[in-house]
Amino acid sequence: MRRQPPAHSDPEGDVGKPQVPSGRRARLRDTTFPALPAGDCAPSWAIVVDGFDPLREREFESWLSVGNGVTGTRGSLEEGHEASSPATYVNGAYVEGSGGVADSDLAPAPEWTRLVPVVDDTAVTLGIGEIIEHRRVLDLRHGVLSRTWRQRLPSGQEMTLRSARFASMADPQLLVLWAEVRAGAARARFAAGAEEQVVAELRARAGPVEFVAITRHGRGRAVRIAAVRRRDPNETKQEPALDVLTRAGRQGAVRLLARHREAWDARWCAADVEIEGDPDAQRAVRFALYHLISAGDASGVASIGARGLTGPGYHGHVFWDTDVFVLPFFVATHPPTARGLLEYRHRQLAAARAKAGALGYVGALYPWESADTGEEATPPFALGARGERVPILTGLQEHHISADVAWAAWRYWQMTGDDDFLLSTGAEILTQTARFWASRARRRGDGRLHIGRVIGPDEYHESVDDNAFTNVLARWNLERAADVVERLQDWPGGPSDTLAGLDLRPGEPRRWRRVAAGLVDGFNPDTGLYEQFAGYVDLEDVVAAELAERPFAGDLVLGRDRLRRSQVIKQADVLMLAHMLPEVVPVEVAAANYRYYEPRTSHGSSLSPAIHAAVAARVGALDEALAYFRMAAAIDLGDGMGNASVGVHMAALGGLWQAAVAGFGGTRVEGNALRVDPRVPRAWRRLRFPVLWRGVRVDVDAAGDTLTLTVEGPADVAVGAHPPTRLAPGRHVARRRGQAWSRPTEVTPS
Amino acid sequence: MRTIAVFPANASQRVRRLALAAGWDLEPFGEQPPTSEMAAVALARGPVLVLPPGARAPRVLRRVVVVHEGSPLVAPAMEAADEAALGSGAEIVVLHVASAARPAAAGSLPAPCFVDHSGYDWEEWRAEFLRRFCRCSEGLCVRLEVTTGEPAVAIPTALRRLRPDLVVVSWKGQTGPGRGRVVRALLRQASCPVLVLREPTEPEPEGSQVSGSELRAATGADR
């Protein structure tokens, strides 16, 4: 086991004490104190935590994180508390594992928010005296966390502390905190000198991360700006953190805040999902979008871990959660971030090819868990519920990850029409993953091709043969790779140069199509059902819905051995296929499989409820869809549901957006058109959201029996069950007649 | 100082010494003492230290087991275990039966219903459980032991393996299914003294909860 030096130069992570003396100093030239937020944002735009509950504090810290894709800072109290787990994470900055089962951890950076109020020489914490008022408000719209804290001190004096912080969305290297403390006639200040500068270095495996913070104190006020610089291979010459900080110091916190707010406004303008008539659903979806936007990194250097940058959970590792659950949100609202996430996968192709080679295959087999190197980061074993040693087979068997990445690349290219991406990145991902599947499939005695010993999305059943999700997605991957090669051969102006870099063997695309055609998929045309894997129907027919109130962890209810022998499944598996490939699984087949698999699903994965919401909406089961939507929303926001103390669940949040936009909103790609077929639950008066379709903004507004589409440019759109039509820029309206939408008519040309 | 009753009244001197070492005041039952262990804990308003039939009180307290359902309402039981362990430096083992049941009290942390990754989720849940509920006096060793199964069966089974010198359990005073069955099983089967405390009653938490009932209604599972 390799040993690593300490993560950064100050093990306490306290920027209140300078760690490395620096000859150069940044200056806060503009020391204007920004107005502190009033904390009165509209309920649908705010996450409010009143009082102080040490039991749930770590959960709230995850909720209240501020982030910008480069850094994420938990919403911890500035002065600290024993119930708190403060941390700031720098995306992509991994260090060797800290002794648990994982071999790499997302390392915490210095604790830049530390600021201790002092009243008459006594450092004040929540435990000293009595809390009169304590309120934290996360302004989702502008990405600012503010706090008001009034404390009656043992002396009888009343102290008021107000603070605000943000991770700049306009300049993702910057973090800003400002605070004010007052205590009547008593002397109130923050523990520190007049102006202090702190320099630290985070020794990440991928290269050092520079951290510099400067704080200006005066008259009970403090303004702190921190700059973070991680190594970016895209940049030939990197501006040192100190220069970034100096530049920021010239602008001052007021200007930085204004630019940050503008940047958030722009992101919400492109992404907001409005739900009228259901305040809880509205707040939940904005909470989801806030954390998705906060986690997105367009650099291509890093991706999005399973808990984003909101906590230490899952060691910051990246799973299919990002490619399948999170990325579609960015494809539709901020394509540069989606492309960055795919470039992260592209950078890891060499490691993915090495993994495939090590297992005796060719092409690219992505790691089930990845960090910075692209090598498999899944631990070989873990401790289960009772502390027993449990082998973890996902790193060895959950191969659908390769097709998931290919699906993400294709989805991005389909939605954006970004040919540059296809040429530089997408084609190689698609062909390398197809090459893997071609080598992975084996012909058996029945003359058909099979994929044996895999784990599908339902991880309750390991080492299964012919998982329908895996096989159908592999087939789809093979076909799309062959399509891409043909497209490159027929590229306008002659065959694309990209072809040479793909290292194609003669006839390889034709072989991919033959393999695709020969793969079994477990589909029974008589019943319309996919068998989840070979032999699934022979398992004990146990209906999860009758065992316990869902969601539940299957092994706790049935025991691990019986669970494996039963039809109880963890999460959407065949239904995941129906969700991801609606062009392969038509609605009547989706409906049949929903009716069969839904009762057998325990939803013991946070990835399950949102996908069930989306599929239920598609098949018209709107009450069930809404119940699943609420279940997905409660994963982080409900008390005692998930363990949000180690970070929010990014896949569930991405899934919530998909449930709203693809499920209830009924949007999906169909050939060269965007299909829009909303099915809005009765409880929602209106559902409104934008999507970017091939560079054109399409605003979908479904209210009762009226569907309004506003397009900013010409766009090929299909409404309801009608064939695609080219909509001119302007406003188009369709009416619901029974279960169907009319053709849209143009009412307002732009 | 905590005041407890002891049952049976003629429990061994060791039981009384155990209580006194923990700093607990002993209080006799009223004029009509209960006739059974279950009646004793049902009648008493405060904690009752019971020596089940056939159980032996330890000479020295080495291990205290707290039965914990992952609810903040169990805090008094943790405090009592802390008091008992402090004098002798006994180890505290927090015993949790991981199940699909979810306590209603705000701030509860039942076993995770979403286990996306069987390694990380359990590890992280255990760490959070210990931080949330298992803080004890400095110097005391606390660990979490998780078992599965029907609690009234799984807990006595786990206790036979753990061989505690004292079991601390809290309940709401109901004798029916659920914790009532657990208490009944402990008072019959435990081989060491059992301290039973009454849980405070608390209203259900506000805010969004998982919509299992809504899902049942939507999917027709209620029908």
Side-chain angles (χ1 to χ4, degrees):
Chain A
M1 175 72 78
R2 285 170 292 170
R3 286 286 117 209
Q4 192 75 2
H8 51 75
S9 49
D10 174 24
E12 298 298 317
D14 182 353
V15 296
K17 302 172 196 147
Q19 292 109 29
V20 183
S22 171
R24 283 184 60 205
R25 292 187 67 83
R27 300 287 304 197
L28 257 174
R29 292 189 192 283
D30 183 345
T31 57
T32 313
F33 193 77
L36 281 155
D40 57 353
C41 15
S44 69
W45 284 105
I47 298 296
V48 180
V49 175
D50 274 321
F52 182 74
D53 180 354
L55 293 178
R56 298 187 67 192
E57 175 59 14
R58 290 173 295 283
E59 198 178 327
F60 297 147
E61 289 176 343
S62 301
W63 291 5
L64 302 176
S65 293
V66 293
N68 56 22
V70 172
T71 64
T73 298
R74 288 167 61 78
S76 310
L77 309 177
E78 287 86 1
E79 71 282 6
H81 191 281
E82 63 175 7
S84 173
S85 287
T88 292
Y89 299 99
V90 181
N91 203 0
Y94 293 90
V95 293
E96 296 295 316
S98 54
V101 291
D103 71 349
S104 54
D105 277 315
L106 201 55
E111 199 183 319
W112 71 278
T113 57
R114 187 87 169 166
L115 209 52
V116 180
V118 176
V119 177
D120 284 344
D121 297 327
T122 300
V124 182
T125 62
L126 283 169
I128 293 178
E130 176 195 355
I131 299 171
I132 302 168
E133 178 190 3
H134 190 242
R135 165 170 279 215
R136 282 172 283 179
V137 178
L138 177 63
D139 175 356
L140 300 171
R141 184 168 187 90
H142 296 114
V144 176
L145 173 63
S146 60
R147 178 187 182 202
T148 302
W149 169 29
R150 290 168 58 219
Q151 185 87 353
R152 191 174 318 285
L153 304 177
S155 61
Q157 294 160 319
E158 184 179 321
M159 182 203 79
T160 301
L161 180 146
R162 297 180 63 215
S163 69
R165 69 175 75 159
F166 63 88
S168 175
M169 189 56 74
D171 189 343
Q173 297 149 16
L174 294 173
L175 301 155
V176 181
L177 165 73
W178 67 110
E180 178 182 73
V181 60
R182 297 276 179 260
R187 182 164 176 260
R189 61 184 174 86
F190 291 105
E195 182 169 305
E196 54 181 348
Q197 178 172 313
V198 172
V199 181
E201 187 176 274
L202 184 69
R203 291 172 203 157
R205 292 196 305 200
V209 178
E210 287 182 85
F211 179 91
V212 190
I214 185 166
T215 312
R216 178 85 180 188
H217 291 272
R219 296 181 180 177
R221 287 177 165 183
V223 179
R224 177 174 293 159
I225 303 176
V228 177
R229 283 298 268 158
R230 62 181 178 182
R231 188 174 159 271
D232 185 346
N234 296 321
E235 295 181 22
T236 49
K237 186 169 182 292
Q238 286 194 270
E239 187 182 22
L242 194 62
D243 292 354
V244 174
L245 187 61
T246 301
R247 193 161 39 81
R250 275 198 292 271
Q251 293 184 62
V254 173
R255 174 78 187 121
L256 292 175
L257 175 62
R259 291 186 58 230
H260 166 75
R261 289 169 61 101
E262 284 168 16
W264 266 103
D265 278 339
R267 294 300 292 269
W268 278 112
C269 180
D272 189 24
V273 174
E274 295 172 75
I275 298 169
E276 287 184 15
D278 190 340
D280 287 346
Q282 175 67 86
R283 194 176 64 116
V285 82
R286 286 202 172 125
F287 176 81
L289 268 53
Y290 167 81
H291 280 294
L292 289 166
I293 295 169
S294 298
D297 181 0
S299 72
V301 173
S303 184
I304 296 175
R307 302 300 184 106
L309 297 169
T310 64
Y314 284 53
H315 304 268
H317 289 180
V318 179
F319 295 72
W320 73 312
D321 305 33
T322 308
D323 309 282
V324 172
F325 292 80
V326 170
L327 184 133
F329 165 74
F330 290 111
V331 169
T333 64
H334 197 255
T337 297
R339 182 166 173 165
L341 297 174
L342 289 163
E343 282 168 356
Y344 164 85
R345 289 297 194 188
H346 188 249
R347 282 177 194 281
Q348 297 188 337
L349 263 176
R353 291 177 68 174
K355 180 179 174 182
L359 293 176
Y361 306 114
V362 295
L365 172 56
Y366 278 99
W368 180 244
E369 296 180 32
S370 71
D372 47 355
T373 64
E375 292 168 7
E376 182 59 73
T378 306
F381 71 92
L383 300 179
R386 297 185 307 278
E388 76 281 18
R389 194 178 157 105
V390 178
I392 302 292
L393 300 179
T394 49
L396 292 171
Q397 295 189 357
E398 204 149 352
H399 292 177
H400 65 78
I401 178 76
S402 274
D404 302 331
V405 175
W407 177 87
W410 181 264
R411 165 58 71 94
Y412 170 83
W413 176 69
Q414 255 192 326
M415 283 283 288
T416 61
D418 182 352
D419 286 341
D420 176 64
F421 164 81
L422 186 70
L423 297 175
S424 68
T425 307
E428 196 174 7
I429 290 176
L430 279 151
T431 52
Q432 288 292 349
T433 48
R435 192 169 284 157
F436 165 71
W437 291 117
S439 74
R440 182 69 176 78
R442 292 279 184 271
R443 196 171 298 280
R444 289 190 186 157
D446 60 359
R448 303 294 306 274
L449 287 159
H450 300 262
I451 297 177
R453 289 187 73 78
V454 296
I455 301 174
D458 162 34
E459 292 165 341
Y460 289 163
H461 297 93
E462 299 170 324
S463 307
V464 300
D465 292 341
D466 292 322
N467 168 249
F469 176 86
T470 304
N471 286 22
V472 175
L473 217 60
R475 183 169 70 199
W476 176 92
N477 190 167
L478 289 157
E479 289 169 346
R480 294 298 78 72
D483 290 348
V484 163
V485 171
E486 284 172 9
R487 188 174 285 267
L488 295 177
Q489 285 164 341
D490 296 337
W491 203 257
S496 164
D497 294 342
T498 299
L499 278 169
L502 298 180
D503 192 25
L504 293 168
R505 279 69 161 166
E508 200 172 14
R510 279 200 305 280
R511 178 163 179 259
W512 292 342
R513 291 205 190 276
R514 282 200 306 274
V515 173
L519 268 172
V520 300
D521 62 8
F523 182 66
N524 181 341
D526 294 334
T527 60
L529 295 176
Y530 282 94
E531 185 177 19
Q532 187 177 296
F533 54 81
Y536 174 84
V537 295
D538 300 326
L539 298 176
E540 183 187 2
D541 189 3
V542 180
V543 178
E546 293 171 0
L547 287 175
E549 186 164 294
R550 296 179 293 171
F552 64 81
D555 49 349
L556 290 184
V557 174
L558 281 184
R560 193 176 291 267
D561 289 338
R562 189 175 170 207
L563 183 65
R564 284 178 182 154
R565 296 193 305 268
S566 80
Q567 291 182 355
V568 171
I569 63 176
K570 182 180 183 182
Q571 66 195 87
D573 194 303
V574 169
L575 297 185
M576 194 72 214
L577 188 63
H579 175 66
M580 286 171 67
L581 298 180
E583 68 272 31
V584 174
V585 185
V587 66
E588 59 278 8
V589 174
N593 284 277
Y594 179 83
R595 287 290 158 229
Y596 182 80
Y597 285 105
E598 188 277 336
R600 290 168 169 78
T601 310
S602 75
H603 306 295
S605 163
S606 69
L607 279 57
S608 192
I611 300 305
H612 275 76
V615 176
R618 183 178 169 214
V619 304
L622 291 183
D623 289 345
E624 290 174 49
L626 188 56
Y628 276 121
F629 187 89
R630 295 197 199 288
M631 187 187 285
I635 289 169
D636 286 314
L637 289 173
D639 180 19
M641 282 294 297
N643 184 6
S645 62
V646 289
V648 298
H649 296 71
M650 297 307 300
L653 300 176
L656 206 62
W657 177 85
Q658 293 193 45
V661 169
F664 298 122
T667 57
R668 63 179 179 275
V669 179
E670 215 172 270
N672 282 316
L674 177 72
R675 184 164 293 283
V676 183
D677 187 10
R679 288 141 198 262
V680 180
R682 284 188 303 267
W684 294 4
R685 285 198 304 273
R686 163 173 268 159
L687 172 64
R688 186 158 51 184
F689 57 86
V691 290
L692 268 177
W693 166 242
R694 305 239 164 130
V696 174
R697 180 183 169 117
V698 178
D699 281 282
V700 177
D701 182 355
D705 291 336
T706 303
L707 169 64
T708 307
L709 300 176
T710 307
V711 293
E712 288 189 341
D716 292 325
V717 177
V719 170
H722 300 288
T725 180
R726 175 150 295 189
L727 298 184
R731 204 155 61 91
H732 305 259
V733 173
R735 308 277 177 201
R736 182 177 282 284
R737 299 197 179 104
Q739 292 300 307
W741 292 103
S742 69
R743 286 176 186 275
T745 53
E746 186 174 346
V747 292
T748 316
S750 68
Chain B
M1 184 171 284
R2 193 182 299 275
T3 303
I4 65 165
V6 174
F7 184 88
N10 62 352
S12 71
Q13 278 302 313
R14 282 186 191 172
V15 174
R16 293 175 176 277
R17 273 205 298 274
L18 185 156
L20 294 172
W24 300 332
D25 261 354
L26 301 182
E27 172 183 67
F29 280 101
E31 289 179 359
Q32 287 190 315
T35 54
S36 71
E37 291 79 14
M38 206 60 200
V41 297
L43 274 175
R45 289 183 175 277
V48 186
L49 184 61
V50 176
L51 187 65
R56 295 183 62 180
R59 193 185 298 270
V60 182
L61 209 56
R62 291 195 175 88
R63 179 173 293 157
V64 180
V65 169
V66 182
V67 177
H68 204 304
E69 64 165 359
S71 151
L73 301 183
V74 184
M78 284 301 299
E79 286 165 18
D82 189 284
E83 291 161 7
L86 256 183
S88 61
E91 174 194 36
I92 297 178
V93 178
V94 176
L95 177 62
H96 176 79
V97 182
S99 72
R102 287 191 283 272
S108 295
L109 189 75
C113 43
F114 301 111
V115 183
D116 297 345
H117 190 300
S118 54
Y120 300 152
D121 280 303
W122 283 111
E123 180 183 304
E124 288 158 1
W125 173 82
R126 261 193 294 270
E128 176 65 13
F129 194 101
L130 282 164
R131 278 195 78 172
R132 205 178 270 212
F133 302 123
C134 305
R135 286 180 179 274
C136 282
S137 296
E138 208 174 318
L140 288 181
C141 173
V142 187
R143 68 182 169 92
L144 175 63
E145 184 81 19
V146 179
T147 188
T148 53
E150 161 59 36
V153 177
I155 291 171
T157 303
L159 292 179
R160 280 194 286 279
R161 180 167 43 83
L162 291 168
R163 301 167 67 88
D165 302 309
L166 173 67
V167 175
V168 185
V169 63
S170 63
W171 72 321
K172 294 189 178 67
Q174 292 141 349
T175 55
R179 199 82 66 77
R181 282 190 64 197
V182 171
V183 171
R184 198 180 287 275
L186 286 175
L187 297 183
R188 278 197 201 128
Q189 298 176 36
S191 58
C192 66
V194 179
L195 179 66
V196 183
L197 298 100
R198 282 294 178 94
E199 276 178 13
T201 51
E202 189 147 304
E204 295 216 350
E206 293 176 1
S208 58
Q209 290 297 296
V210 66
S211 48
S213 54
E214 188 179 353
L215 180 65
R216 278 203 312 276
T219 56
D222 279 339
R223 291 189 287 275

